[in-house]
Amino acid sequence: MARKIIIAGNWKMNKTIAEAKELVGELKGLVAAVDAVEVVVCPTFTSLNAVVEAAAGSKVKVGAQNVHWAESGAFTGEISADMLKEIGVEYVILGHSERRQYFGETDATVNQRLKAALTAGLKPIVCVGEMLEDRESGMTEQVLLTQLENGLTDITAEQMANIVIAYEPVWAIGTGKTATPEMAEETHRYIRCTLKSLFGEVAEDVVIQYGGSMKAANSGELVAQKNIDGGLIGGAALEAESFAALIKNAVN
Ligand code: PEP
């Protein structure tokens, strides 16, 4: 069975509610006829409700950018998985490099969030990726192995089938520098082999997205690679036209 292509837009800390509704309103129409791809947008917490309503009945699905591991309690500033489910959110991004870099996210906390997301029935997008110095010192595979082993601790093969991995080389995020399709494919192949050794044959069904300066001009050749099953997009997802063009080029 061919793997699904999933293209998700990470809006980060951008867009007011009004802007978010406008973007989704436009995007729905632009991607309505694009088959064979799951389109996801991940707005800020304040826009989630409005975006779920604006996307209703369309092929655009909605994701959050983070979730806490506890069901409820004294965790000021946090949001639980059930709270996201309650308003119709389907996906959640976990362990984005900005969370790791600026907010102390670790593989251990990613793992806790992951378990909470799965328990609530959310589809997690778990981000992994090396820093520039890791790549330059030949440590990419070791870094990814550690992130995968620790981030996916105690996850079953059955659960793994519902987890999306986003490979995002940190040096390519928001920099305009994209990994070449060959370089990205080599790393995606390594990630799939690692998943196979950790979880067995289910690894063949796991969607592995590429993220890092993906845009309409390069989405086609990246997603054409055997082990690249879509993308996690930052900058190019902030406008409906550019995001829709990226999606169309990725699947045509
Ligand atoms: C991201 O932040 O996940 C990302 C891939 O950003 P950009 O597309 O802007 O590089």
Side-chain angles (χ1 to χ4, degrees), residues 8 10 12 93 96-98 127 166-169 172-177 210-215 231-237 246:
N10 172 14
K12 312 192 183 187
I93 300 171
H96 189 277
S97 63
E98 286 150 17
C127 303
Y167 166 59
E168 301 204 302
I173 295 180
T175 58
K177 288 184 197 153
Y210 171 79
S213 300
M214 196 191 272
K215 45 191 179 288
L232 181 56
I233 322 300
L246 180 156

Side-chain angles (χ1 to χ4, degrees), residues 7-11 15 23 27 40-42 214 232-244 246:
I7 300 188
N10 172 14
W11 295 359
K15 305 287 175 193
L23 202 172
L27 183 66
V40 185
V41 293
C42 303
M214 196 191 272
L232 181 56
I233 322 300
L238 291 174
E239 281 179 16
E241 294 260 352
S242 62
F243 193 41
L246 180 156

Side-chain angles (χ1 to χ4, degrees), residues 91 114 118 122-125 156-165 202 205-207:
Y91 284 85
L114 175 61
L118 289 167
L122 291 168
K123 295 176 196 159
I125 299 176
T156 64
E158 204 181 347
Q159 288 174 316
M160 195 61 226
N162 294 314
I163 298 172
V164 174
I165 301 292
V202 72
D205 301 329
V206 175
V207 170

Side-chain angles (χ1 to χ4, degrees), residues 94-154:
L94 297 174
H96 189 277
S97 63
E98 286 150 17
R99 300 243 23 118
R100 294 177 189 260
Q101 213 172 333
Y102 308 132
F103 302 103
E105 194 79 67
T106 63
D107 294 330
T109 54
V110 169
N111 185 248
Q112 283 182 278
R113 295 181 203 280
L114 175 61
K115 289 172 184 165
L118 289 167
T119 301
L122 291 168
K123 295 176 196 159
I125 299 176
V126 176
C127 303
V128 295
E130 81 285 1
M131 312 276 281
L132 185 58
E133 54 267 35
D134 299 325
R135 182 155 286 267
E136 286 177 346
S137 59
M139 290 299 289
T140 299
E141 294 190 352
Q142 184 54 52
V143 167
L144 293 172
L145 178 63
T146 303
Q147 290 176 343
L148 291 168
E149 278 182 342
N150 296 345
L152 301 172
T153 296
D154 296 331

